[in-house]
Amino acid sequence: MREKLTISALDSLLKPYVRKKLFEEPYVEHSDVGKIQKILSHYYNVQVSVKDKHFGYAYLNIQVSGLFSGGVREYEIKERGQRKRLADSLGWIDEIEAIDALFDDR
């Protein structure tokens, strides 16, 4: 049976995985993301996603829904302490080529 999670319980569950450095925001290691997703899959009111928030860098977004106990936690994903970029789909190149074809004078 799946359970409900509060934001304070989420913080205590994530404590072993969240790293902190002086003058930096808390982050999680790339190797721990799967472990975190597995742990949080037991709760029905939690959504876990990886998002591109800032110039292609990956962020782990954890949303807990609840009337008074909900909230969002967001952590940058790093690999061995270095910022991790999401894979670029390169779809933007196709868009530029399409616009270029409209203005081609040949």
PDB file of all heavy atoms in Angstrom, residues 40-72:
ATOM      1  N   LEU A  40      11.102   7.407  -3.267  1.00  0.00           N
ATOM      2  CA  LEU A  40       9.899   8.240  -3.294  1.00  0.00           C
ATOM      3  C   LEU A  40       8.762   7.623  -4.090  1.00  0.00           C
ATOM      4  O   LEU A  40       7.640   8.116  -4.037  1.00  0.00           O
ATOM      5  CB  LEU A  40      10.247   9.623  -3.840  1.00  0.00           C
ATOM      6  CG  LEU A  40      11.244  10.413  -2.988  1.00  0.00           C
ATOM      7  CD1 LEU A  40      11.540  11.747  -3.628  1.00  0.00           C
ATOM      8  CD2 LEU A  40      10.738  10.588  -1.569  1.00  0.00           C
ATOM      9  N   SER A  41       9.013   6.536  -4.814  1.00  0.00           N
ATOM     10  CA  SER A  41       7.946   5.889  -5.579  1.00  0.00           C
ATOM     11  C   SER A  41       6.912   5.202  -4.677  1.00  0.00           C
ATOM     12  O   SER A  41       5.835   4.855  -5.140  1.00  0.00           O
ATOM     13  CB  SER A  41       8.536   4.869  -6.558  1.00  0.00           C
ATOM     14  OG  SER A  41       9.092   3.778  -5.849  1.00  0.00           O
ATOM     15  N   HIS A  42       7.229   5.049  -3.409  1.00  0.00           N
ATOM     16  CA  HIS A  42       6.300   4.420  -2.464  1.00  0.00           C
ATOM     17  C   HIS A  42       5.229   5.379  -1.961  1.00  0.00           C
ATOM     18  O   HIS A  42       4.334   4.971  -1.236  1.00  0.00           O
ATOM     19  CB  HIS A  42       7.073   3.855  -1.266  1.00  0.00           C
ATOM     20  CG  HIS A  42       8.078   2.827  -1.646  1.00  0.00           C
ATOM     21  ND1 HIS A  42       7.742   1.587  -2.130  1.00  0.00           N
ATOM     22  CD2 HIS A  42       9.433   2.862  -1.649  1.00  0.00           C
ATOM     23  CE1 HIS A  42       8.825   0.898  -2.393  1.00  0.00           C
ATOM     24  NE2 HIS A  42       9.874   1.643  -2.115  1.00  0.00           N
ATOM     25  N   TYR A  43       5.321   6.646  -2.345  1.00  0.00           N
ATOM     26  CA  TYR A  43       4.389   7.660  -1.854  1.00  0.00           C
ATOM     27  C   TYR A  43       3.530   8.172  -2.999  1.00  0.00           C
ATOM     28  O   TYR A  43       4.037   8.549  -4.051  1.00  0.00           O
ATOM     29  CB  TYR A  43       5.165   8.810  -1.195  1.00  0.00           C
ATOM     30  CG  TYR A  43       6.015   8.330  -0.051  1.00  0.00           C
ATOM     31  CD1 TYR A  43       7.371   8.070  -0.228  1.00  0.00           C
ATOM     32  CD2 TYR A  43       5.462   8.100   1.198  1.00  0.00           C
ATOM     33  CE1 TYR A  43       8.145   7.606   0.822  1.00  0.00           C
ATOM     34  CE2 TYR A  43       6.225   7.637   2.249  1.00  0.00           C
ATOM     35  CZ  TYR A  43       7.568   7.393   2.047  1.00  0.00           C
ATOM     36  OH  TYR A  43       8.335   6.930   3.087  1.00  0.00           O
ATOM     37  N   TYR A  44       2.231   8.196  -2.777  1.00  0.00           N
ATOM     38  CA  TYR A  44       1.304   8.559  -3.855  1.00  0.00           C
ATOM     39  C   TYR A  44       1.203  10.054  -4.104  1.00  0.00           C
ATOM     40  O   TYR A  44       0.752  10.477  -5.158  1.00  0.00           O
ATOM     41  CB  TYR A  44      -0.090   7.966  -3.605  1.00  0.00           C
ATOM     42  CG  TYR A  44      -0.849   8.573  -2.447  1.00  0.00           C
ATOM     43  CD1 TYR A  44      -1.641   9.693  -2.624  1.00  0.00           C
ATOM     44  CD2 TYR A  44      -0.797   8.003  -1.183  1.00  0.00           C
ATOM     45  CE1 TYR A  44      -2.340  10.246  -1.574  1.00  0.00           C
ATOM     46  CE2 TYR A  44      -1.495   8.533  -0.128  1.00  0.00           C
ATOM     47  CZ  TYR A  44      -2.267   9.656  -0.327  1.00  0.00           C
ATOM     48  OH  TYR A  44      -2.955  10.191   0.707  1.00  0.00           O
ATOM     49  N   ASN A  45       1.633  10.885  -3.184  1.00  0.00           N
ATOM     50  CA  ASN A  45       1.489  12.328  -3.350  1.00  0.00           C
ATOM     51  C   ASN A  45       2.803  13.019  -3.717  1.00  0.00           C
ATOM     52  O   ASN A  45       2.954  14.211  -3.538  1.00  0.00           O
ATOM     53  CB  ASN A  45       0.906  12.955  -2.082  1.00  0.00           C
ATOM     54  CG  ASN A  45       1.834  12.848  -0.891  1.00  0.00           C
ATOM     55  OD1 ASN A  45       2.596  11.890  -0.762  1.00  0.00           O
ATOM     56  ND2 ASN A  45       1.759  13.818  -0.016  1.00  0.00           N
ATOM     57  N   VAL A  46       3.755  12.264  -4.282  1.00  0.00           N
ATOM     58  CA  VAL A  46       5.063  12.814  -4.629  1.00  0.00           C
ATOM     59  C   VAL A  46       5.309  12.645  -6.126  1.00  0.00           C
ATOM     60  O   VAL A  46       5.087  11.572  -6.679  1.00  0.00           O
ATOM     61  CB  VAL A  46       6.182  12.112  -3.835  1.00  0.00           C
ATOM     62  CG1 VAL A  46       7.541  12.644  -4.241  1.00  0.00           C
ATOM     63  CG2 VAL A  46       5.976  12.288  -2.348  1.00  0.00           C
ATOM     64  N   GLN A  47       5.762  13.724  -6.764  1.00  0.00           N
ATOM     65  CA  GLN A  47       6.154  13.677  -8.175  1.00  0.00           C
ATOM     66  C   GLN A  47       7.618  14.081  -8.272  1.00  0.00           C
ATOM     67  O   GLN A  47       8.018  15.117  -7.745  1.00  0.00           O
ATOM     68  CB  GLN A  47       5.314  14.637  -9.011  1.00  0.00           C
ATOM     69  CG  GLN A  47       3.880  14.228  -9.129  1.00  0.00           C
ATOM     70  CD  GLN A  47       3.088  15.214  -9.974  1.00  0.00           C
ATOM     71  OE1 GLN A  47       3.451  16.368 -10.089  1.00  0.00           O
ATOM     72  NE2 GLN A  47       2.024  14.733 -10.569  1.00  0.00           N
ATOM     73  N   VAL A  48       8.401  13.234  -8.939  1.00  0.00           N
ATOM     74  CA  VAL A  48       9.828  13.483  -9.101  1.00  0.00           C
ATOM     75  C   VAL A  48      10.111  13.678 -10.585  1.00  0.00           C
ATOM     76  O   VAL A  48       9.670  12.887 -11.414  1.00  0.00           O
ATOM     77  CB  VAL A  48      10.655  12.301  -8.558  1.00  0.00           C
ATOM     78  CG1 VAL A  48      12.144  12.571  -8.721  1.00  0.00           C
ATOM     79  CG2 VAL A  48      10.319  12.025  -7.101  1.00  0.00           C
ATOM     80  N   SER A  49      10.832  14.741 -10.917  1.00  0.00           N
ATOM     81  CA  SER A  49      11.186  14.984 -12.314  1.00  0.00           C
ATOM     82  C   SER A  49      12.558  15.653 -12.390  1.00  0.00           C
ATOM     83  O   SER A  49      13.022  16.261 -11.442  1.00  0.00           O
ATOM     84  CB  SER A  49      10.137  15.858 -12.990  1.00  0.00           C
ATOM     85  OG  SER A  49      10.040  17.106 -12.338  1.00  0.00           O
ATOM     86  N   VAL A  50      13.186  15.503 -13.544  1.00  0.00           N
ATOM     87  CA  VAL A  50      14.452  16.168 -13.818  1.00  0.00           C
ATOM     88  C   VAL A  50      14.160  17.248 -14.852  1.00  0.00           C
ATOM     89  O   VAL A  50      13.563  16.981 -15.887  1.00  0.00           O
ATOM     90  CB  VAL A  50      15.506  15.172 -14.350  1.00  0.00           C
ATOM     91  CG1 VAL A  50      16.777  15.890 -14.740  1.00  0.00           C
ATOM     92  CG2 VAL A  50      15.775  14.095 -13.308  1.00  0.00           C
ATOM     93  N   LYS A  51      14.580  18.469 -14.533  1.00  0.00           N
ATOM     94  CA  LYS A  51      14.252  19.598 -15.401  1.00  0.00           C
ATOM     95  C   LYS A  51      15.494  20.392 -15.756  1.00  0.00           C
ATOM     96  O   LYS A  51      16.479  20.400 -15.027  1.00  0.00           O
ATOM     97  CB  LYS A  51      13.251  20.517 -14.709  1.00  0.00           C
ATOM     98  CG  LYS A  51      11.920  19.874 -14.466  1.00  0.00           C
ATOM     99  CD  LYS A  51      10.910  20.858 -13.976  1.00  0.00           C
ATOM    100  CE  LYS A  51       9.569  20.146 -13.843  1.00  0.00           C
ATOM    101  NZ  LYS A  51       8.509  21.036 -13.506  1.00  0.00           N
ATOM    102  N   ASP A  52      15.403  21.077 -16.879  1.00  0.00           N
ATOM    103  CA  ASP A  52      16.421  22.021 -17.321  1.00  0.00           C
ATOM    104  C   ASP A  52      15.978  23.380 -16.810  1.00  0.00           C
ATOM    105  O   ASP A  52      15.074  23.991 -17.356  1.00  0.00           O
ATOM    106  CB  ASP A  52      16.504  21.996 -18.846  1.00  0.00           C
ATOM    107  CG  ASP A  52      17.405  23.080 -19.391  1.00  0.00           C
ATOM    108  OD1 ASP A  52      18.047  23.795 -18.605  1.00  0.00           O
ATOM    109  OD2 ASP A  52      17.463  23.216 -20.614  1.00  0.00           O
ATOM    110  N   LYS A  53      16.601  23.837 -15.760  1.00  0.00           N
ATOM    111  CA  LYS A  53      16.149  25.085 -15.161  1.00  0.00           C
ATOM    112  C   LYS A  53      17.034  26.270 -15.539  1.00  0.00           C
ATOM    113  O   LYS A  53      16.560  27.367 -15.737  1.00  0.00           O
ATOM    114  CB  LYS A  53      16.128  24.939 -13.644  1.00  0.00           C
ATOM    115  CG  LYS A  53      15.674  26.188 -12.938  1.00  0.00           C
ATOM    116  CD  LYS A  53      15.713  26.032 -11.458  1.00  0.00           C
ATOM    117  CE  LYS A  53      15.485  27.375 -10.803  1.00  0.00           C
ATOM    118  NZ  LYS A  53      15.806  27.387  -9.423  1.00  0.00           N
ATOM    119  N   HIS A  54      18.325  26.042 -15.669  1.00  0.00           N
ATOM    120  CA  HIS A  54      19.250  27.165 -15.799  1.00  0.00           C
ATOM    121  C   HIS A  54      20.341  26.847 -16.812  1.00  0.00           C
ATOM    122  O   HIS A  54      21.289  26.143 -16.505  1.00  0.00           O
ATOM    123  CB  HIS A  54      19.853  27.464 -14.422  1.00  0.00           C
ATOM    124  CG  HIS A  54      20.761  28.634 -14.380  1.00  0.00           C
ATOM    125  ND1 HIS A  54      20.327  29.909 -14.553  1.00  0.00           N
ATOM    126  CD2 HIS A  54      22.095  28.721 -14.191  1.00  0.00           C
ATOM    127  CE1 HIS A  54      21.354  30.731 -14.461  1.00  0.00           C
ATOM    128  NE2 HIS A  54      22.429  30.031 -14.240  1.00  0.00           N
ATOM    129  N   PHE A  55      20.175  27.306 -18.054  1.00  0.00           N
ATOM    130  CA  PHE A  55      21.180  27.174 -19.106  1.00  0.00           C
ATOM    131  C   PHE A  55      21.609  25.733 -19.359  1.00  0.00           C
ATOM    132  O   PHE A  55      22.784  25.444 -19.524  1.00  0.00           O
ATOM    133  CB  PHE A  55      22.406  28.037 -18.812  1.00  0.00           C
ATOM    134  CG  PHE A  55      22.104  29.490 -18.724  1.00  0.00           C
ATOM    135  CD1 PHE A  55      22.190  30.154 -17.520  1.00  0.00           C
ATOM    136  CD2 PHE A  55      21.699  30.191 -19.842  1.00  0.00           C
ATOM    137  CE1 PHE A  55      21.910  31.505 -17.428  1.00  0.00           C
ATOM    138  CE2 PHE A  55      21.417  31.550 -19.764  1.00  0.00           C
ATOM    139  CZ  PHE A  55      21.515  32.204 -18.553  1.00  0.00           C
ATOM    140  N   GLY A  56      20.661  24.814 -19.367  1.00  0.00           N
ATOM    141  CA  GLY A  56      20.960  23.426 -19.702  1.00  0.00           C
ATOM    142  C   GLY A  56      21.422  22.567 -18.542  1.00  0.00           C
ATOM    143  O   GLY A  56      21.728  21.402 -18.732  1.00  0.00           O
ATOM    144  N   TYR A  57      21.493  23.119 -17.351  1.00  0.00           N
ATOM    145  CA  TYR A  57      21.919  22.331 -16.205  1.00  0.00           C
ATOM    146  C   TYR A  57      20.736  21.598 -15.605  1.00  0.00           C
ATOM    147  O   TYR A  57      19.627  22.113 -15.537  1.00  0.00           O
ATOM    148  CB  TYR A  57      22.597  23.218 -15.155  1.00  0.00           C
ATOM    149  CG  TYR A  57      23.916  23.756 -15.635  1.00  0.00           C
ATOM    150  CD1 TYR A  57      24.063  25.082 -15.969  1.00  0.00           C
ATOM    151  CD2 TYR A  57      25.005  22.906 -15.795  1.00  0.00           C
ATOM    152  CE1 TYR A  57      25.270  25.576 -16.426  1.00  0.00           C
ATOM    153  CE2 TYR A  57      26.210  23.384 -16.251  1.00  0.00           C
ATOM    154  CZ  TYR A  57      26.340  24.719 -16.567  1.00  0.00           C
ATOM    155  OH  TYR A  57      27.538  25.199 -17.034  1.00  0.00           O
ATOM    156  N   ALA A  58      20.978  20.380 -15.160  1.00  0.00           N
ATOM    157  CA  ALA A  58      19.921  19.494 -14.670  1.00  0.00           C
ATOM    158  C   ALA A  58      19.584  19.801 -13.206  1.00  0.00           C
ATOM    159  O   ALA A  58      20.478  19.995 -12.382  1.00  0.00           O
ATOM    160  CB  ALA A  58      20.363  18.047 -14.802  1.00  0.00           C
ATOM    161  N   TYR A  59      18.289  19.801 -12.933  1.00  0.00           N
ATOM    162  CA  TYR A  59      17.793  19.995 -11.576  1.00  0.00           C
ATOM    163  C   TYR A  59      16.790  18.899 -11.252  1.00  0.00           C
ATOM    164  O   TYR A  59      15.956  18.553 -12.085  1.00  0.00           O
ATOM    165  CB  TYR A  59      17.104  21.356 -11.429  1.00  0.00           C
ATOM    166  CG  TYR A  59      18.072  22.500 -11.287  1.00  0.00           C
ATOM    167  CD1 TYR A  59      18.711  23.036 -12.388  1.00  0.00           C
ATOM    168  CD2 TYR A  59      18.367  23.017 -10.040  1.00  0.00           C
ATOM    169  CE1 TYR A  59      19.606  24.076 -12.265  1.00  0.00           C
ATOM    170  CE2 TYR A  59      19.261  24.064  -9.904  1.00  0.00           C
ATOM    171  CZ  TYR A  59      19.879  24.587 -11.016  1.00  0.00           C
ATOM    172  OH  TYR A  59      20.777  25.611 -10.877  1.00  0.00           O
ATOM    173  N   LEU A  60      16.875  18.368 -10.048  1.00  0.00           N
ATOM    174  CA  LEU A  60      15.915  17.387  -9.556  1.00  0.00           C
ATOM    175  C   LEU A  60      14.795  18.156  -8.872  1.00  0.00           C
ATOM    176  O   LEU A  60      15.034  18.893  -7.916  1.00  0.00           O
ATOM    177  CB  LEU A  60      16.586  16.423  -8.579  1.00  0.00           C
ATOM    178  CG  LEU A  60      15.700  15.324  -8.009  1.00  0.00           C
ATOM    179  CD1 LEU A  60      15.282  14.363  -9.122  1.00  0.00           C
ATOM    180  CD2 LEU A  60      16.419  14.572  -6.918  1.00  0.00           C
ATOM    181  N   ASN A  61      13.584  18.000  -9.376  1.00  0.00           N
ATOM    182  CA  ASN A  61      12.419  18.697  -8.846  1.00  0.00           C
ATOM    183  C   ASN A  61      11.536  17.672  -8.155  1.00  0.00           C
ATOM    184  O   ASN A  61      11.085  16.713  -8.782  1.00  0.00           O
ATOM    185  CB  ASN A  61      11.672  19.380  -9.984  1.00  0.00           C
ATOM    186  CG  ASN A  61      10.550  20.247  -9.511  1.00  0.00           C
ATOM    187  OD1 ASN A  61       9.980  20.014  -8.467  1.00  0.00           O
ATOM    188  ND2 ASN A  61      10.222  21.249 -10.286  1.00  0.00           N
ATOM    189  N   ILE A  62      11.280  17.867  -6.869  1.00  0.00           N
ATOM    190  CA  ILE A  62      10.433  16.959  -6.089  1.00  0.00           C
ATOM    191  C   ILE A  62       9.267  17.769  -5.556  1.00  0.00           C
ATOM    192  O   ILE A  62       9.456  18.721  -4.802  1.00  0.00           O
ATOM    193  CB  ILE A  62      11.214  16.321  -4.927  1.00  0.00           C
ATOM    194  CG1 ILE A  62      12.452  15.607  -5.461  1.00  0.00           C
ATOM    195  CG2 ILE A  62      10.325  15.377  -4.145  1.00  0.00           C
ATOM    196  CD1 ILE A  62      13.414  15.173  -4.401  1.00  0.00           C
ATOM    197  N   GLN A  63       8.061  17.377  -5.970  1.00  0.00           N
ATOM    198  CA  GLN A  63       6.863  18.096  -5.562  1.00  0.00           C
ATOM    199  C   GLN A  63       6.008  17.186  -4.689  1.00  0.00           C
ATOM    200  O   GLN A  63       5.647  16.084  -5.102  1.00  0.00           O
ATOM    201  CB  GLN A  63       6.075  18.540  -6.778  1.00  0.00           C
ATOM    202  CG  GLN A  63       4.871  19.360  -6.435  1.00  0.00           C
ATOM    203  CD  GLN A  63       4.196  19.920  -7.679  1.00  0.00           C
ATOM    204  OE1 GLN A  63       4.641  19.696  -8.792  1.00  0.00           O
ATOM    205  NE2 GLN A  63       3.122  20.651  -7.460  1.00  0.00           N
ATOM    206  N   VAL A  64       5.702  17.670  -3.492  1.00  0.00           N
ATOM    207  CA  VAL A  64       4.837  16.956  -2.557  1.00  0.00           C
ATOM    208  C   VAL A  64       3.521  17.700  -2.521  1.00  0.00           C
ATOM    209  O   VAL A  64       3.474  18.889  -2.211  1.00  0.00           O
ATOM    210  CB  VAL A  64       5.457  16.896  -1.140  1.00  0.00           C
ATOM    211  CG1 VAL A  64       4.525  16.202  -0.171  1.00  0.00           C
ATOM    212  CG2 VAL A  64       6.805  16.216  -1.176  1.00  0.00           C
ATOM    213  N   SER A  65       2.433  17.025  -2.877  1.00  0.00           N
ATOM    214  CA  SER A  65       1.128  17.673  -2.857  1.00  0.00           C
ATOM    215  C   SER A  65       0.408  17.319  -1.562  1.00  0.00           C
ATOM    216  O   SER A  65       0.452  16.195  -1.094  1.00  0.00           O
ATOM    217  CB  SER A  65       0.297  17.266  -4.073  1.00  0.00           C
ATOM    218  OG  SER A  65       0.266  15.875  -4.205  1.00  0.00           O
ATOM    219  N   GLY A  66      -0.206  18.329  -1.006  1.00  0.00           N
ATOM    220  CA  GLY A  66      -0.948  18.164   0.230  1.00  0.00           C
ATOM    221  C   GLY A  66      -1.560  19.493   0.627  1.00  0.00           C
ATOM    222  O   GLY A  66      -1.059  20.554   0.239  1.00  0.00           O
ATOM    223  N   LEU A  67      -2.617  19.455   1.393  1.00  0.00           N
ATOM    224  CA  LEU A  67      -3.327  20.669   1.759  1.00  0.00           C
ATOM    225  C   LEU A  67      -2.437  21.625   2.558  1.00  0.00           C
ATOM    226  O   LEU A  67      -2.240  22.763   2.193  1.00  0.00           O
ATOM    227  CB  LEU A  67      -4.592  20.321   2.534  1.00  0.00           C
ATOM    228  CG  LEU A  67      -5.535  21.473   2.823  1.00  0.00           C
ATOM    229  CD1 LEU A  67      -5.966  22.148   1.532  1.00  0.00           C
ATOM    230  CD2 LEU A  67      -6.738  20.980   3.593  1.00  0.00           C
ATOM    231  N   PHE A  68      -1.881  21.134   3.659  1.00  0.00           N
ATOM    232  CA  PHE A  68      -1.002  21.969   4.484  1.00  0.00           C
ATOM    233  C   PHE A  68       0.422  21.436   4.546  1.00  0.00           C
ATOM    234  O   PHE A  68       1.311  22.095   5.056  1.00  0.00           O
ATOM    235  CB  PHE A  68      -1.556  22.078   5.909  1.00  0.00           C
ATOM    236  CG  PHE A  68      -2.902  22.736   5.965  1.00  0.00           C
ATOM    237  CD1 PHE A  68      -4.036  22.002   6.270  1.00  0.00           C
ATOM    238  CD2 PHE A  68      -3.035  24.081   5.682  1.00  0.00           C
ATOM    239  CE1 PHE A  68      -5.280  22.607   6.311  1.00  0.00           C
ATOM    240  CE2 PHE A  68      -4.279  24.696   5.721  1.00  0.00           C
ATOM    241  CZ  PHE A  68      -5.401  23.959   6.039  1.00  0.00           C
ATOM    242  N   SER A  69       0.634  20.241   4.033  1.00  0.00           N
ATOM    243  CA  SER A  69       1.943  19.607   4.174  1.00  0.00           C
ATOM    244  C   SER A  69       2.701  19.511   2.854  1.00  0.00           C
ATOM    245  O   SER A  69       3.658  18.775   2.747  1.00  0.00           O
ATOM    246  CB  SER A  69       1.770  18.210   4.759  1.00  0.00           C
ATOM    247  OG  SER A  69       0.974  17.420   3.887  1.00  0.00           O
ATOM    248  N   GLY A  70       2.272  20.253   1.836  1.00  0.00           N
ATOM    249  CA  GLY A  70       2.901  20.165   0.529  1.00  0.00           C
ATOM    250  C   GLY A  70       4.025  21.167   0.340  1.00  0.00           C
ATOM    251  O   GLY A  70       4.255  22.037   1.168  1.00  0.00           O
ATOM    252  N   GLY A  71       4.731  20.988  -0.772  1.00  0.00           N
ATOM    253  CA  GLY A  71       5.806  21.907  -1.097  1.00  0.00           C
ATOM    254  C   GLY A  71       6.678  21.344  -2.203  1.00  0.00           C
ATOM    255  O   GLY A  71       6.445  20.249  -2.702  1.00  0.00           O
ATOM    256  N   VAL A  72       7.679  22.107  -2.557  1.00  0.00           N
ATOM    257  CA  VAL A  72       8.596  21.719  -3.630  1.00  0.00           C
ATOM    258  C   VAL A  72      10.022  21.827  -3.116  1.00  0.00           C
ATOM    259  O   VAL A  72      10.376  22.784  -2.430  1.00  0.00           O
ATOM    260  CB  VAL A  72       8.418  22.635  -4.863  1.00  0.00           C
ATOM    261  CG1 VAL A  72       9.448  22.313  -5.930  1.00  0.00           C
ATOM    262  CG2 VAL A  72       7.018  22.515  -5.414  1.00  0.00           C
TER     263      VAL A  72
END
